[in-house]
Amino acid sequence: MIFSTDFLLVHGREPVLYPKERSVPRMEKRRCTTCPAASKYIVAFSNLSVSIAGKKLLSSVNGIAKPGQLLAIMGPSGSGKTTLLNALSGRTPLDNQSSLQIAGLPLDKRHRRRIGYVTQHDVFFADLTLRQTLKYTSELRLPDFFTDEERKLNVDRIVQVLELEKCLDTAMGGGMKRGLSGGERKRASIACELLTDPPVMLLDEPTSGLDSTAALGLIRCLKEYAKHEQKTVILSIHQPSSQIFHLFDKLLLLHGGQSVYFGPAKEIVEHFSLVGLPIQVHYNPADVIMDYLKGSSEASDRLLRYWKSSKGVGESKEKEFKFDSTDPGIPLLSTQTSETWSFVPPLQTPEKPSLWCSDNSTCFCDNVQQNEINVLVESEALPIKCSEEGDSGRSSWSDSQSHGDNSSNCHSHSSLLTSYDNKWPTSFWTQFKVLTRRNFLEAKPRMLSKLNWIQTIGLGLMAGFLWLQLERKEETISDIQGWMFFSTTYWMLFALFGALASFPGEQEVVNKERISGAYRLSAYYSAKMVGELPLVMTMPALYYFISYPMMGFHNVSTFLLLLCYLLLNSIVAQSAGLFIGALCMDFQASTTVSALYTLAMQLFGGFLATKVPPWLQWARSLSMIHYAFQSMQMVEFSGGPLIRCASENSRFSSCNQKENGTIPYHLIIEASGNPILPLEVNTVILFLFLLIFRVLGYIVLRYYRTPR
Ligand SMILES: Nc1ncnc2c1ncn2[C@@H]1O[C@H](COP(=O)(O)OP(=O)(O)OP(=O)(O)O)[C@@H](O)[C@H]1O
């Protein structure tokens, strides 16, 4: 795979990633040349420490990443690369005294949403194709003022740059479902983040799963992206090839959660030599570095002590780090034959370390302390010079937002930040529409699978034949009730258990999107309810259309009313399932809770047990089956032809008084020992169940399952 050398120049097309023409006024003539808007996104961290459950994962890590540069974080497995990226993205809480500033301000929710984060594990909806995934991402994360054509243009260009054209119609896959290859998924992940044009891009192991050519192409592409778009790109990488290594501007080396080097990547060889750890000319520095770090603890101790002493960090601040001049150095693992071991005489610690200051203009004070970060960011940010130069055409929508129609088009750093005050990129209505469509598409294969169709048709026919053309007489009352009870309980179980995995199944994707601020939870939640509504109703309706006419069709209004109650019951059950699923987020726990709840609802539903002990009567009022079953009886026994009395030994006293009489519907319901509520009250109670479960589900997601 070969990437274009210029990230934006694709086969000679216009080098604009984001549309030039839009309704939002943008600068045409004057632009800030020294500091384009996005270039203010300097990421500076000092004394950055992270502890989880009392375990220190990161300890006093310092560094700074500037727009236009590629900062690579390297270190052995478990050294804390992902933890650091999580901390920089605001997903992991920092220990006290840690300092993290983005664009000169402490990282807050608003800035968090301007950070693109490609995590190590790509999470997508497995059944959506890449085309659909990118389309929905662009609809959700690009502001409303983008037209459909502009969105499509952006998607097309990013697809082209990342060479994803061939797999656009392939399902994303994941879990048990086959789909995109590992490398394609990784590039798809990057494409989703690039669509939003973030000023800061964090990538956790972006080259994992790629072959060496593709990996090199990707890093080149990111480098060009950082350079041309003035973006801050920070990535973690395990063991890059030497070609990739030489593309890094800055390198942060981690070992055991501590930094052992931060500075220009090209000066790492000199640094290691200073410490007495030579890197031979023809070796890939990345390989040698990793060998040292993973090899004897002496090498890493030496690096750490040197780093601490030279930087004046932590305990070693007091101690002078001294090399013994007779020290033979540390043997290199990868060249462990006596002939190739090479040692250089260790040097004394330089009095004033300037390892990464290649020249004054790029010399960052890497011994970054809080006040220095402030000074640095301040000095980088202001003043912004203006020129009369034309727009190069490279500014992104974010730039244009910040520029607005201000005549000077020169905004202070803080005004850039306030341009992101809009909490969400799109309106509630847009989010609702897009998420409803996406939800429908995503849930359809799961809820309307081939097996579900077969199962429903089979069950409908079975029930139809079992209760075929029932006569309307006293002897068949329990059969008619049996069909109604079976239908309500079966579809309750189907909807409730089917909904249990709904939230847990998409939790990772939704959390990722919520953290990146793509949409409101309320929009997602209401879209889920609406998007899945036709799906949750399809199967019960199909079953009903088959089995009820086979049992005996009487009139249209009874037919439709019964259908409504069956569907309402299913929707209530689905709401309960969604709530339990969200609460437990664990399939085993949620099935146990649901099994208990549904069994209790069946027992108190009014068909299996007609004599409920007085002290347990309250439990009946918690059974949704009780209300749905009773409502269906009312509709069926009052709407259709009345039930004829048994010719002899009728259990209804009214039947014994006259011959060929009929049984009023309320006597049938009363005979089952259930107190009768008016149909409207039953209906309202069912709707209340629906409302309560849905509100509880929202509260759980909002306050209990907040993504971190
Ligand atoms: N939630 C957690 N609780 C306890 N320890 C954790 C937690 N998360 C990570 N760690 C530990 O922190 C250390 C750093 O983990 P991290 O994932 O940041 O390493 P890494 O350098 O990214 O590794 P790799 O290259 O293998 O992905 C590891 O030892 C890991 O076991």
Side-chain angles (χ1 to χ4, degrees):
M1 182 177 61
I2 297 165
F3 290 98
S4 163
T5 48
D6 185 331
F7 183 79
L8 305 167
L9 266 173
V10 182
H11 303 307
R13 289 168 76 170
E14 174 132 5
V16 185
L17 202 74
Y18 295 90
K20 280 180 141 183
E21 301 302 330
R22 58 174 64 83
S23 53
V24 168
R26 66 186 304 227
M27 173 184 60
E28 290 301 332
K29 295 261 168 75
R30 292 155 59 86
R31 79 179 258 132
C32 304
T33 50
T34 45
C35 301
S39 73
K40 296 301 102 207
Y41 277 82
I42 295 169
V43 178
F45 46 99
S46 70
N47 277 330
L48 195 136
S49 305
V50 170
S51 306
I52 295 180
K55 185 178 169 191
K56 200 122 186 146
L57 305 188
L58 285 181
S59 178
S60 296
V61 178
N62 298 338
I64 189 160
K66 273 182 74 175
Q69 291 185 337
L70 200 59
L71 165 64
I73 303 169
M74 275 179 58
S77 178
S79 58
K81 301 181 292 294
T82 304
T83 309
L84 178 57
L85 286 174
N86 284 341
L88 297 182
S89 70
R91 293 174 192 210
T92 301
L94 309 179
D95 291 356
N96 292 340
Q97 282 153 14
S98 300
S99 169
L100 168 60
Q101 293 194 352
I102 297 206
L105 296 170
L107 182 63
D108 60 10
K109 216 171 178 179
R110 190 162 50 110
H111 284 101
R112 226 165 81 171
R113 292 175 172 177
R114 299 292 303 138
I115 296 175
Y117 188 13
V118 179
T119 52
Q120 199 167 349
H121 304 289
D122 319 297
V123 282
F124 296 106
F125 287 117
D127 289 314
L128 297 187
T129 62
L130 174 61
R131 190 189 298 281
Q132 289 167 332
T133 303
L134 291 172
K135 179 175 176 282
Y136 290 129
T137 306
S138 78
E139 285 177 356
L140 285 171
R141 296 182 68 183
L142 290 180
D144 275 329
F145 57 72
F146 273 69
T147 65
D148 287 347
E149 208 178 311
E150 287 169 342
R151 285 174 208 277
K152 192 172 170 307
L153 192 74
N154 279 339
V155 170
D156 289 349
R157 286 187 181 166
I158 287 172
V159 162
Q160 217 170 355
V161 169
L162 291 170
E163 296 193 353
L164 287 165
E165 298 101 324
K166 281 189 205 134
C167 48
L168 270 177
D169 293 310
T170 309
M172 300 305 294
M176 303 292 282
K177 190 174 166 78
R178 292 275 302 137
L180 295 184
S181 73
E184 286 165 346
R185 280 170 71 80
K186 185 58 77 185
R187 279 179 282 143
S189 244
I190 295 172
C192 286
E193 292 304 320
L194 283 181
L195 269 174
T196 64
D197 189 31
V200 178
M201 186 87 167
L202 307 178
L203 303 103
D204 196 4
E205 312 250 358
T207 54
S208 65
L210 298 186
D211 59 60
S212 56
T213 321
L216 176 62
L218 178 64
I219 301 297
R220 254 195 206 134
C221 177
L222 289 169
K223 170 123 178 154
E224 290 299 321
Y225 175 64
K227 202 166 131 197
H228 287 278
E229 288 288 304
Q230 284 298 296
K231 307 289 181 181
T232 307
V233 179
I234 304 175
L235 57 88
S236 75
I237 196 158
H238 221 252
Q239 208 145 355
S241 67
S242 59
Q243 278 171 299
I244 290 180
F245 186 83
H246 287 110
L247 290 172
F248 301 150
D249 296 301
K250 288 274 169 349
L251 180 68
L252 173 57
L253 214 51
L254 288 178
H255 181 73
Q258 303 184 71
S259 42
V260 290
Y261 176 79
F262 172 71
K266 61 182 179 213
E267 291 178 16
I268 191 73
V269 176
E270 185 191 338
H271 178 78
F272 269 60
S273 299
L274 283 172
V275 184
L277 306 171
I279 298 175
Q280 287 171 309
V281 178
H282 298 297
Y283 284 87
N284 172 9
D287 287 342
V288 181
I289 289 167
M290 294 302 271
D291 281 348
Y292 277 130
L293 289 176
K294 285 198 261 186
S296 72
S297 61
E298 202 189 332
S300 46
D301 284 352
R302 184 179 279 210
L303 278 164
L304 197 60
R305 273 186 297 140
Y306 180 78
W307 188 251
K308 280 181 172 175
S309 104
S310 62
K311 299 289 111 194
V313 176
E315 288 172 18
S316 306
K317 196 172 181 177
E318 308 299 322
K319 299 174 194 166
E320 239 341 82
F321 182 82
K322 287 202 170 50
F323 285 106
D324 179 353
S325 57
T326 59
D327 182 352
I330 309 283
L332 181 59
L333 278 183
S334 61
T335 56
Q336 262 179 13
T337 56
S338 52
E339 309 90 70
T340 51
W341 281 1
S342 118
F343 306 100
V344 291
L347 303 176
Q348 293 292 327
T349 308
E351 273 182 21
K352 201 176 171 194
S354 58
L355 288 168
W356 45 89
C357 299
S358 50
D359 61 62
N360 286 342
S361 60
T362 57
C363 174
F364 304 141
C365 296
D366 291 347
N367 182 16
V368 189
Q369 299 298 326
Q370 177 64 52
N371 56 343
E372 288 169 328
I373 290 177
N374 292 338
V375 170
L376 173 74
V377 174
E378 280 289 304
S379 64
E380 294 279 341
L382 296 169
I384 299 176
K385 290 181 196 155
C386 299
S387 84
E388 298 292 325
E389 282 179 29
D391 190 348
S392 72
R394 285 201 189 279
S395 61
S396 62
W397 64 266
S398 51
D399 292 336
S400 75
Q401 274 193 327
S402 66
H403 294 318
D405 58 355
N406 187 311
S407 57
S408 75
N409 289 312
C410 268
H411 290 249
S412 71
H413 183 47
S414 59
S415 77
L416 161 71
L417 302 182
T418 53
S419 73
Y420 296 117
D421 269 346
N422 280 349
K423 209 172 165 195
W424 310 102
T426 49
S427 66
F428 177 90
W429 178 235
T430 306
Q431 293 168 11
F432 174 74
K433 267 190 315 186
V434 176
L435 289 169
T436 303
R437 265 186 280 131
R438 185 178 79 171
N439 211 278
F440 180 83
L441 272 183
E442 187 272 321
K444 200 171 127 204
R446 174 167 43 89
M447 295 174 78
L448 302 186
S449 66
K450 218 183 264 176
L451 284 179
N452 280 353
W453 285 100
I454 295 170
Q455 180 184 337
T456 305
I457 294 171
L459 199 72
L461 289 172
M462 217 191 307
F465 283 119
L466 184 65
W467 286 292
L468 193 65
Q469 295 302 309
L470 287 177
E471 283 184 57
R472 310 281 289 180
K473 57 183 187 183
E474 189 178 331
E475 290 84 347
T476 59
I477 287 177
S478 58
D479 283 306
I480 300 172
Q481 286 175 325
W483 176 86
M484 283 187 276
F485 187 75
F486 170 76
S487 305
T488 44
T489 49
Y490 176 76
W491 290 108
M492 171 198 70
L493 293 173
F494 187 87
L496 194 147
F497 280 90
L500 286 183
S502 191
F503 282 126
E506 53 192 55
Q507 187 192 17
E508 277 192 294
V509 182
V510 173
N511 279 354
K512 183 179 92 173
E513 292 173 338
R514 280 177 72 189
I515 289 172
S516 62
Y519 46 75
R520 298 160 177 85
L521 175 65
S522 54
Y524 161 73
Y525 195 73
S526 34
K528 187 159 181 68
M529 301 301 128
V530 175
E532 288 189 4
L533 199 59
L535 301 174
V536 78
M537 295 196 304
T538 306
M539 291 299 161
L542 175 67
Y543 160 85
Y544 180 79
F545 286 131
I546 297 170
S547 68
Y548 184 76
M550 286 176 79
M551 187 179 73
F553 179 90
H554 309 297
N555 59 58
V556 176
S557 60
T558 307
F559 178 79
L560 291 179
L561 257 180
L562 276 181
L563 174 64
C564 288
Y565 281 105
L566 188 67
L567 295 183
L568 181 57
N569 180 60
S570 302
I571 299 167
V572 174
Q574 186 214 19
S575 313
L578 289 173
F579 163 63
I580 296 171
L583 186 68
C584 301
M585 285 291 180
D586 171 80
F587 196 64
Q588 232 173 349
S590 58
T591 41
T592 308
V593 173
S594 304
L596 262 177
Y597 180 61
T598 51
L599 283 173
M601 278 197 295
Q602 288 178 60
L603 290 176
F604 292 99
F607 182 71
L608 298 175
T610 51
K611 287 196 174 52
V612 178
W615 64 273
L616 263 180
Q617 300 264 343
W618 60 270
R620 201 157 39 188
S621 57
L622 295 180
S623 168
M624 69 175 86
I625 292 285
H626 167 73
Y627 301 103
F629 178 52
Q630 190 170 91
S631 304
M632 286 177 87
Q633 288 186 82
M634 285 179 183
V635 172
E636 172 66 15
F637 293 132
S638 66
L642 291 179
I643 303 290
R644 289 195 312 275
C645 293
S647 45
E648 53 191 40
N649 297 331
S650 170
R651 60 192 169 112
F652 297 96
S653 54
S654 63
C655 289
N656 297 327
Q657 288 157 14
K658 54 177 179 179
E659 268 185 36
N660 296 330
T662 52
I663 311 166
Y665 79 91
H666 63 91
L667 290 183
I668 299 173
I669 299 169
E670 274 170 7
S672 59
N674 295 305
I676 302 184
L677 291 171
L679 191 62
E680 303 76 39
V681 176
N682 275 331
T683 314
V684 168
I685 292 175
L686 279 174
F687 273 106
L688 274 177
F689 267 101
L690 177 72
L691 191 73
I692 290 169
F693 280 126
R694 299 228 153 167
V695 170
L696 284 177
Y698 180 80
I699 291 172
V700 165
L701 290 180
R702 180 85 182 78
Y703 299 104
Y704 184 52
R705 296 288 172 196
T706 317
R708 299 189 201 290

